[in-house]
DNA sequence: TGTAGTGTCCGCTAA
DNA sequence: GGACACTACA
């Protein structure tokens, strides 16, 4: 076999093409590219050019070591990252890059299962269940077992099952915990759940990881095939892999052990979904001969941003520890804005964006927050100021009811055994098949031991059952669509579904704003299908469904156009922007309430904050609010502990609305920020103050109520008032009864129908 | 069987 | 503030 090892000193003997792959790299990057003959761990700090090193390495393997692209497996965290890496490899290697095995763990899992899944009872045409579908399925299982879903929330059981699958433990596995009664019940559900999934021809997200592992361990021929194929394995964002993913990698790794993992323990932010920092912290235990390379030169941020974020992450106890440095300029101070309310915070962000607009493109501005719900205030302000923005994440496009409806139709056409999708569409749009009928169909399916679809077909053919008149047309519809789908493209099929079900027509006939939005979403889905058919070599329905099952929040977001980006810190991982706002730096939010119980959870929150801060190239803003609306109520908040201990000389304290209401000036002036955690004293000119201890004393009831200002129709509503209703549109009040919260109004709407409803759902116009 | 209204619970991050 | 379950009524 060809000599695989190359020392740095030997690079002179490389061909011109291979040498080019080493150009303009710094020393550690070059070392990372060249180290090819055994396990390699690259500890890559934020902005240290790891994607650059990875793509160069792939190209180096092809040009210097003459590996075929299909002999290289590269695993990324998101589809977007995979697409970017493929594009960059194409620049280096040309069309050869198309043959690389490059994708997320989940997409590679799908690929393997599609090819060999039948060996472990996964049919070729399986569908992928998202968390929603899986939860529904668990609900069905509880039903069958006669268990009460209120006492045993399906979501919780789902998490338990997911935890087992993360350890590659099937229901029969010896190490399943059985200590408590809950464990034992969960196992009963898990067992049935797996059976039902099998019957349905479906797999869930975690199955996409652990079933391929099972394939490899139970079927040596399969393992052998991939072991001989993949001569080099690269893994990005290794700090966020879970145990099953690591096991999967090892199961397909051959004796040459040519694996290169890249990650940053300081950026591990997915512990809550099973990521094992230990994978990266203990990599050199698993592979004692692993070469460890550190990339510590940062090319992204100013020195100030680096120093401030570095001071934050240095407070974590459990970390490899590394010091990022840069040759870049000192840059501007990090601005800290103490806001009064979340509205005030959003206004500040809006003002700053307008000021910075001269120097930076809006596509280079990002607002980060801890929870998706926080986007609202920013959206309101940006909209009011006419600043274009885009929210990434939150309610995902493919999670919207109308989109899921259409996808459910398509899933049933591919795999009618899928009961979750079938139940979703059986009465949508309404065709008189209600719960009672569906229950009868379920019972029939159980009695015959077959699938729900078989039961529906059988009952449709049996007039004596009394359900046939409702079911027969539905069965005929689905059968027609199946025939159609077999001979047409994914896009044509989707159009046919909409046509035959009148789904879109019904939405368009409904004049309400919601229905219009839903109709738009359906059309957007059609656009996505059309785009997929054009782009993909395999434009089948099945391929499309696979893809949409695995889209992440970032996928499809066009970050280039002239809009401000809003997203959570989690979604921001791997991205960078010139101007960054890290918002909501308050105790309870960042760190989040649910993480306050353990030091390790706090450390993860700190890493999340660190990730958010290190996205910034030039200008970084940190902000917090004295009070924030949660669940419709104002709640007071103190600045996050993460603000303490930042180097004061690198911060610029903005004057903000964060101040005590005048009537309670008893806290005195100046020095009020000393606090128990320290670090905030000293700023004599600072206007903002906070109470040192008694948080509950914080006065919030004077916070202006922006949300409900001049909108509540329950006051001022009278006979003859013109009103607006989100569903029925404009109307005129005929009669008002009751008062206050309980006031009701009789309204004549534009469609000529009179309706009686709560006054609180109406808006005066 | 479907719909609107009401009550209740719950709340983070996500492929 | 929203998702969901339950109830009253058409």
């Amino acid at each position: 076999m060809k000599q695989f090892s190359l020392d740095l000193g030997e690079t002179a003997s490389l061909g011109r093409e291979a040498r080019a792959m080493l150009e303009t790299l710094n020393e550690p990057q070059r070392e990372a590219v060249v180290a090819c003959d055994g396990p390699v761990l690259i500890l890559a700090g934020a902005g240290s050019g790891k994607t650059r090193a990875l793509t160069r390495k792939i190209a180096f393997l092809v040009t210097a070591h003459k590996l075929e692209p299909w002999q290289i497996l590269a695993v990324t965290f998101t589809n977007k990252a995979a697409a970017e890496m493929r594009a960059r490899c194409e620049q280096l290697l040309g069309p050869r890059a198309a043959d690389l095995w490059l994708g997320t763990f989940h997409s590679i899992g799908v690929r393997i299962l599609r090819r060999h899944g039948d060996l472990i009872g996964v049919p070729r045409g399986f569908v992928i269940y998202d968390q929603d579908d899986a939860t529904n399925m668990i609900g069905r299982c509880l039903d069958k077992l006669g268990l009460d879903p209120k006492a045993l929330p399906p979501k919780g059981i789902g998490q338990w099952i997911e935890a087992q699958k993360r350890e590659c433990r099937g229901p029969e596995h010896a190490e399943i915990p059985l200590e408590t009664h809950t464990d034992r019940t969960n196992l009963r559900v898990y067992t049935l759940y797996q059976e039902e999934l099998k019957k349905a021809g479906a797999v869930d997200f975690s199955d996409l990881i652990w079933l391929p592992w099972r394939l490899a361990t139970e079927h040596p021929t399969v393992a052998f095939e991939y072991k001989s194929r993949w001569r080099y394995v690269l893994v990005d964002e290794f700090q966020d892999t879970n145990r099953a993913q690591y096991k999967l990698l090892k199961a397909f790794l051959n004796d040459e052990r040519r694996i290169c993992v890249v990650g940053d323990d300081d950026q591990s932010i997915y512990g809550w979904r099973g990521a094992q920092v230990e994978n990266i912290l203990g990599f050199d235990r698993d592979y004692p001969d692993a070469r460890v390379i550190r990339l510590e030169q940062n090319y992204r941020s100013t020195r100030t941003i680096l120093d401030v974020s570095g001071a934050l992450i240095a407070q974590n106890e459990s970390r490899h520890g590394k010091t990022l440095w840069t040759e870049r300029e000192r840059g501007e101070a990090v601005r800290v804005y103490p806001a009064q309310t979340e509205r005030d915070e959003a206004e500040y962000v809006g003002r700053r964006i307008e000021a910075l607009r001269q120097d930076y493109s809006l596509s280079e501005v990002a607002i980060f927050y801890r929870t998706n719900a926080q986007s609202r205030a920013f959206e309101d302000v940006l909209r009011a100021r006419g600043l274009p923005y885009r929210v990434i994440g939150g309610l995902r496009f493919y999670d919207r009811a109308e989109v899921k409806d259409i996808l459910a139709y398509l899933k049933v056409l591919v795999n009618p055994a899928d009961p979750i999708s079938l139940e979703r569409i059986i009465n949508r749009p309404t065709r008189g098949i209600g719960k009672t009928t569906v229950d009868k169909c379920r019972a029939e399916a159980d009695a015959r031991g077959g699938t729900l679809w078989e039961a529906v077909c059988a009952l449709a053919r049996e007039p004596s059952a009394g359900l046939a008149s409702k079911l027969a047309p539905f069965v005929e519809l689905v059968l027609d669509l199946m025939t159609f789908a077999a001979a047409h493209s994914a896009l044509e099929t989707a159009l046919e579904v909409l046509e035959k079900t009148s789904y879109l027509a019904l939405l368009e006939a409904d004049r309400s704003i919601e229905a219009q939005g839903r109709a738009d979403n359906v059309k957007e889905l059609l656009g996505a299908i059309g785009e997929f058919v054009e782009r993909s070599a395999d434009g089948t329905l099945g391929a499309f469904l696979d893809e949409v099952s695995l889209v992440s929040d970032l996928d499809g977001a066009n970050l280039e156009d002239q809009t401000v980006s809003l997203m959570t810190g989690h979604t921001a991982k791997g991205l960078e922007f010139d101007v960054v706002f890290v918002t909501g730096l308050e105790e309870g939010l960042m760190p989040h309430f649910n993480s306050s119980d353990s030091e390790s959870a706090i450390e993860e929150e700190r890493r999340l904050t660190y990730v958010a801060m290190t996205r910034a190239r030039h200008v970084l803003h940190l902000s917090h609010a004295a009070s924030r609306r949660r669940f419709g109520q104002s709640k007071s908040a103190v600045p996050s502990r993460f603000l303490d201990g930042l180097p004061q000389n690198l911060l610029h304290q903005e004057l903000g609305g964060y101040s005590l209401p005048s009537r309670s000036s008893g806290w005195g002036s100046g020095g009020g920020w000393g606090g128990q955690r320290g670090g905030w004293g000293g700023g004599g000119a600072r206007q903002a103050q906070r109470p040192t201890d008694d948080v509950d004393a914080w006065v919030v009831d004077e916070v202006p109520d922006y949300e409900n200002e001049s909108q509540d129709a329950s006051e001022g509503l009278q006979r003859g008032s013109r009103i607006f209703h989100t569903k029925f549109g404009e109307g005129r009040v005929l009669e008002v009864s009751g008062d206050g919260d309980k006031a009701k109004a009789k309204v004549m709407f534009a469609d000529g129908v009179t309706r009686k409803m709560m006054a609180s759902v109406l808006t005066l116009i």
Side-chain angles (χ1 to χ4, degrees):
Chain A
M1 206 208 321
K2 192 181 160 4
Q3 174 65 291
F4 210 59
S5 167
L6 279 173
D7 285 337
L8 278 171
E10 287 179 59
T11 55
S13 60
L14 289 168
R16 203 168 54 87
E17 200 188 13
R19 268 205 316 272
M21 300 309 160
L22 301 176
E23 278 165 15
T24 65
L25 295 178
N26 67 29
E27 207 45 42
Q29 285 174 335
R30 186 191 294 243
E31 198 188 339
V33 170
V34 172
C36 289
D37 57 340
V40 177
L41 165 64
I42 303 176
L43 292 169
S48 61
K50 68 175 171 137
T51 311
R52 188 176 156 85
L54 270 179
T55 47
R56 292 293 190 93
K57 190 176 179 87
I58 290 171
F60 190 76
L61 288 164
V62 174
T63 54
H65 295 293
K66 308 299 176 206
L67 285 193
E68 295 295 334
W70 49 264
Q71 292 180 309
I72 301 171
L73 169 68
V75 189
T76 58
F77 197 70
T78 63
N79 293 309
K80 193 183 182 69
E84 271 170 26
M85 193 171 284
R86 192 180 292 281
R88 286 167 78 164
C89 286
E90 249 160 42
Q91 284 174 5
L92 299 170
L93 293 171
R96 282 179 288 179
D99 295 330
L100 290 165
W101 276 73
L102 207 166
T104 62
F105 275 105
H106 290 90
S107 70
I108 284 160
V110 173
R111 226 167 137 179
I112 294 172
L113 277 185
R114 288 262 177 248
R115 292 167 69 145
H116 312 284
D118 42 354
L119 289 172
I120 52 169
V122 179
R124 203 142 290 230
F126 67 84
V127 294
I128 302 165
Y129 277 178
D130 63 17
Q131 197 152 43
D132 241 34
D133 299 332
T135 308
N136 275 335
M137 188 59 128
I138 292 169
R140 286 172 65 96
C141 292
L142 290 177
D143 228 36
K144 286 197 179 184
L145 293 169
L147 296 167
D148 177 13
K150 268 192 225 118
L152 307 150
K155 264 205 182 131
I157 302 179
Q159 283 170 8
W160 187 90
I161 292 176
E162 205 180 313
Q164 304 316 313
K165 291 183 175 181
R166 279 204 295 263
E167 303 295 327
C168 296
R169 299 199 278 240
E172 70 297 321
H173 197 281
E175 285 169 33
I176 294 252
L178 291 172
E179 283 100 60
T180 66
H181 180 67
T182 318
D183 282 339
R184 292 188 286 274
T185 317
N186 285 346
L187 178 57
R188 280 176 66 204
V189 182
Y190 183 19
T191 310
L192 181 60
Y193 173 72
Q194 285 310 100
E195 281 168 24
E196 293 290 319
L197 280 183
K198 199 170 208 171
K199 216 192 279 177
V203 300
D204 63 24
F205 278 140
S206 326
D207 285 341
L208 294 175
I209 309 298
W210 89 274
L211 288 181
W213 169 84
R214 223 184 91 190
L215 256 173
T217 45
E218 290 176 9
H219 297 270
T221 50
V222 175
F224 180 77
E225 183 185 331
Y226 291 96
K227 282 181 175 181
S228 354
R229 176 194 304 266
W230 292 326
R231 305 273 315 276
Y232 207 100
V233 176
L234 303 100
V235 190
D236 195 10
E237 306 283 10
F238 190 65
Q239 76 281 358
D240 284 322
T241 52
N242 65 32
R243 211 158 346 219
Q245 289 167 330
Y246 191 30
K247 280 184 153 189
L248 178 64
L249 282 177
K250 289 203 273 197
F252 286 115
L253 192 66
N254 65 31
D255 293 340
E256 296 178 331
R257 293 153 65 250
R258 294 195 172 112
I259 181 170
C260 170
V261 300
V262 188
D264 180 1
D265 49 314
D266 288 335
Q267 294 187 61
S268 170
I269 53 175
Y270 282 97
W272 51 274
R273 64 169 205 209
Q276 297 282 317
V277 208
E278 294 77 17
N279 287 350
I280 195 164
L281 293 174
F283 187 78
D284 38 1
R285 268 199 301 280
D286 273 12
Y287 298 97
D289 56 333
R291 192 91 166 256
V292 181
I293 298 163
R294 286 160 187 269
L295 302 184
E296 297 184 299
Q297 180 174 3
N298 174 294
Y299 293 93
R300 179 185 297 154
S301 310
T302 63
R303 222 155 73 220
T304 298
I305 292 171
L306 218 51
D307 289 348
V308 171
S309 52
L312 174 70
I313 200 64
Q315 295 167 31
N316 270 10
E317 297 281 329
S318 54
R319 60 191 291 253
H320 265 309
K322 56 186 165 330
T323 315
L324 296 188
W325 59 278
T326 181
E327 288 172 351
R328 293 199 47 189
E329 71 282 5
R330 176 91 265 172
E332 285 186 36
V334 171
R335 288 167 187 260
V336 180
Y337 182 76
Q340 177 65 259
T341 64
E342 82 258 35
R343 174 76 186 203
D344 179 26
E345 180 182 48
E347 292 286 1
Y348 167 74
V349 171
R351 282 198 303 278
R352 281 293 293 159
I353 292 175
E354 278 186 354
L356 289 160
R357 218 181 161 173
Q358 313 293 327
D359 301 318
Y360 298 97
S361 152
L362 291 183
S363 62
E364 285 305 331
V365 178
I367 305 170
F368 301 145
Y369 35 75
R370 180 64 234 265
T371 69
N372 282 305
Q374 285 166 256
S375 72
R376 207 195 190 95
F378 298 108
E379 290 183 67
D380 289 347
V381 168
L382 294 175
R383 205 180 304 117
R385 288 179 177 260
L387 290 165
Y389 66 89
R390 150 191 351 89
V391 182
I392 300 166
L395 179 55
R396 297 160 54 188
F397 179 71
Y398 289 103
D399 285 344
R400 284 163 211 265
E402 59 277 14
V403 175
K404 287 201 79 167
D405 285 349
I406 307 304
L407 292 177
Y409 269 99
L410 300 178
K411 282 185 185 176
V412 168
L413 300 185
V414 171
N415 173 26
D418 166 7
I420 302 295
S421 300
L422 184 64
E423 277 194 30
R424 186 172 185 103
I425 63 168
I426 199 164
N427 197 32
R428 216 162 300 176
T430 52
R431 44 176 77 93
I433 306 177
K435 191 174 178 306
T436 327
T437 311
V438 172
D439 281 347
K440 280 186 191 149
C441 294
R442 280 198 198 188
E444 176 72 13
D446 287 344
R448 327 162 113 248
T451 65
L452 184 64
W453 170 243
E454 287 161 1
V456 171
C457 289
L459 289 173
R461 268 185 259 111
E462 233 178 287
S464 58
L467 311 167
S469 62
K470 296 274 173 61
L471 292 177
F474 173 70
V475 168
E476 198 179 328
L477 169 77
V478 174
L479 289 175
D480 283 352
L481 288 170
M482 280 179 182
T483 314
F484 187 94
H488 294 82
S489 76
L491 180 60
E492 290 165 325
T493 305
L495 284 166
E496 182 74 2
V497 167
L498 294 177
E499 177 69 32
K500 285 278 161 64
T501 58
S502 312
Y503 194 99
L504 190 54
L506 284 168
L507 278 181
E508 283 177 332
D510 186 337
R511 305 310 305 172
S512 71
I513 296 172
E514 287 99 329
Q516 297 307 305
R518 283 197 280 272
D520 288 346
N521 287 335
V522 171
K523 288 178 198 155
E524 197 178 327
L525 175 64
L526 289 175
I529 300 177
E531 189 259 334
F532 173 82
V533 171
E534 268 174 37
R535 161 169 54 87
S536 124
D538 175 11
T540 61
L541 208 45
F544 175 73
L545 292 172
D546 276 358
E547 185 174 278
V548 301
S549 303
L550 299 177
V551 293
S552 71
D553 283 342
L554 264 182
D555 301 333
N558 176 10
L559 297 176
E560 269 87 63
D561 57 9
Q562 294 297 305
T563 56
V564 178
S565 298
L566 280 68
M567 68 191 90
T568 64
H570 285 92
T571 306
K573 186 166 81 150
L575 303 176
E576 55 182 73
F577 298 87
D578 286 341
V579 179
V580 162
F581 296 86
V582 180
T583 67
L585 279 160
E586 293 133 40
E587 287 295 307
L589 203 51
M590 215 150 155
H592 197 269
F593 298 108
N594 299 4
S595 300
S596 51
D597 48 348
S598 81
E599 192 47 39
S600 68
I602 292 288
E603 294 211 339
E604 179 151 318
E605 297 285 301
R606 191 177 281 115
R607 290 193 292 269
L608 179 59
T609 309
Y610 172 76
V611 167
M613 284 164 62
T614 52
R615 302 306 94 197
R617 292 196 198 99
H618 300 299
V619 193
L620 175 61
H621 307 75
L622 311 175
S623 58
H624 59 89
S627 95
R628 188 174 290 279
R629 259 170 191 285
R630 278 173 60 82
F631 318 140
Q633 274 188 322
S634 283
K635 285 273 197 293
S636 62
V638 287
S640 168
R641 70 191 75 185
F642 299 153
L643 288 165
D644 298 339
L646 301 182
Q648 289 296 313
N649 58 324
L650 299 178
L651 304 182
H652 170 84
Q653 299 293 337
E654 302 267 25
L655 298 182
Y658 188 102
S659 61
L660 298 176
S662 54
R663 69 172 165 83
S664 39
S665 55
W667 279 301
S669 57
W673 282 55
Q676 293 139 322
R677 281 188 294 272
W680 279 87
R686 200 182 295 124
Q687 161 189 335
Q689 304 156 12
R690 71 172 171 181
T692 44
D693 34 42
D694 189 3
V695 174
D696 287 335
W698 198 223
V699 179
V700 290
D701 50 2
E702 288 193 357
V703 174
D705 186 355
Y706 293 97
E707 310 260 328
N708 290 328
E709 245 175 39
S710 71
Q711 282 171 22
D712 199 348
S714 52
E715 291 181 26
L717 195 73
Q718 53 191 320
R719 212 152 69 88
S721 299
R722 290 190 57 234
I723 55 83
F724 181 81
H725 183 274
T726 49
K727 175 145 189 183
F728 304 115
E730 292 182 21
R732 198 169 283 278
V733 176
L734 302 176
E735 199 182 305
V736 183
S737 56
D739 52 7
D741 290 353
K742 295 265 182 275
K744 287 193 173 65
K746 198 185 259 181
V747 182
M748 165 75 97
F749 285 95
D751 60 4
V753 181
T754 306
R755 296 177 177 86
K756 205 172 166 186
M757 52 191 50
M758 306 288 289
S760 53
V761 304
L762 303 174
T763 318
L764 274 172
I765 49 177

